[in-house]
Amino acid sequence: MDEADDEPRGPVGKAFRLSAADSLSLGNALCGFLAVCVLAWSAITSLQQTGKFSADPRFFGTAVVLLLLGATCDLFDGLVARRFRASAMGAELDNLADVISFGFAPAFMVVIWAGFNPRVPFVMVMIAAASVLLAGVIRLARFACVKTKSGDFMGLPIPMGAMTVVSIVLLFPPSIWAVLPIFGVAYLMVSRIEYPKPKGNLAAAVLAWMMINVACLTIWAAGLAGGDNLIKVGAVMQVAIVAAIPLRVLMFKREKRKERKESERV
């Protein structure tokens, strides 16, 4: 009887079957892992050749392309799961993959970017990197437990948060003032500000935006003419979008409050 009680119950066989959506989640995790490997290999190679621990800027482009590919997999895994079928462990795989690609990978990128720069205190860099990772973990855990009435995301979605951190890294040289916005990104991920969920035309626009960013990063990494300007424009637009959405939401709520007060007076 004791052995029978210890045996797992339920559709155990189905739990071990990977669906097409699960394959995309695993691809997302793999992209995050490869991004970390590229940055680590670049920094170690630089240490061996020059004695300085710093990553080649071009390898940042490669790592970002991998993260964008991971974000594309993350965008499609939900669509594929709804269109076909999801396995019993689909949601857990998705969250674990997101922790790797959009939590740990951008946090590691922050450490490589500013952790060994004499102008920035190492402790500050580590706290900033840890805030990105922990905020992402909290964001994913809350997403699994809390559902908004509107169906939108509560807090900045972790893929968008990761891309914003990456944009800051690509835009600015390491400094105290460049590290501070990273704390702001971490705050937005755990905030109660609602961000629209990409559906229909918005999902298509998000996918197009990712593909444009991949193209810009490829041009920049290849050293082609105009690549530096393209990468800066893309990064500025990413930061501007993330900053503009909370302002628009706050203005919208303020307008709703005014309308409610006016209707109560009438």
Side-chain angles (χ1 to χ4, degrees):
M1 292 294 293
D2 292 338
E3 292 180 358
D5 291 339
D6 292 338
E7 292 181 359
R9 299 177 182 179
V12 179
K14 293 182 179 179
F16 287 98
R17 297 174 187 171
L18 293 176
S19 65
D22 295 337
S23 299
L24 289 172
S25 296
L26 292 175
N28 177 18
L30 181 61
C31 287
F33 169 72
L34 291 176
V36 172
C37 289
V38 165
L39 290 172
W41 181 82
S42 175
I44 293 172
T45 302
S46 175
L47 181 63
Q48 292 174 340
Q49 294 177 351
T50 65
K52 295 181 180 180
F53 191 84
S54 61
D56 188 332
R58 302 297 171 182
F59 283 90
F60 274 101
T62 304
V64 176
V65 168
L66 287 167
L67 292 184
L68 285 170
L69 292 176
T72 304
C73 291
D74 183 61
L75 178 65
F76 275 105
D77 64 1
L79 299 175
V80 171
R82 287 189 291 270
R83 179 65 177 83
F84 298 100
R85 67 178 181 85
S87 70
M89 56 183 176
E92 286 73 15
L93 275 178
D94 187 27
N95 283 342
L96 290 171
D98 286 350
V99 168
I100 297 171
S101 293
F102 311 126
F104 178 70
F108 185 77
M109 187 176 289
V110 170
V111 174
I112 295 295
W113 167 63
F116 302 90
N117 191 293
R119 292 181 295 176
V120 188
F122 181 74
V123 174
M124 182 180 183
V125 176
M126 293 302 295
I127 293 174
S131 69
V132 172
L133 175 61
L134 296 179
V137 172
I138 294 171
R139 170 72 184 77
L140 290 170
R142 189 175 65 183
F143 173 73
C145 301
V146 179
K147 303 297 179 183
T148 59
K149 294 181 180 179
S150 62
D152 293 332
F153 294 116
M154 180 182 291
L156 179 67
I158 187 172
M160 189 176 290
M163 291 302 109
T164 307
V165 171
V166 168
S167 298
I168 294 170
V169 170
L170 293 176
L171 272 177
F172 306 107
S175 69
I176 293 176
W177 297 108
V179 172
L180 289 177
I182 294 174
F183 290 101
V185 176
Y187 166 76
L188 288 176
M189 283 196 283
V190 297
S191 70
R192 296 188 179 184
I193 299 173
E194 293 185 7
Y195 283 78
K197 183 176 289 187
K199 300 176 183 177
N201 293 333
L202 183 57
V206 171
L207 179 61
W209 172 248
M210 290 178 181
M211 293 300 100
I212 291 171
N213 279 339
V214 169
C216 292
L217 283 164
T218 303
I219 293 172
W220 174 71
L224 299 178
D228 291 339
N229 293 330
L230 284 174
I231 196 66
K232 289 179 181 179
V233 170
V236 168
M237 289 181 65
Q238 173 67 31
V239 174
I241 289 172
V242 170
I245 291 177
L247 293 176
R248 181 67 188 93
V249 170
L250 292 174
M251 291 174 62
F252 178 77
K253 289 184 177 180
R254 187 177 180 182
E255 292 172 359
K256 285 293 184 181
R257 284 197 215 98
K258 285 184 178 180
E259 292 177 359
R260 194 180 303 115
K261 289 180 180 179
E262 291 177 358
S263 61
E264 289 176 354
R265 290 175 182 175
V266 174

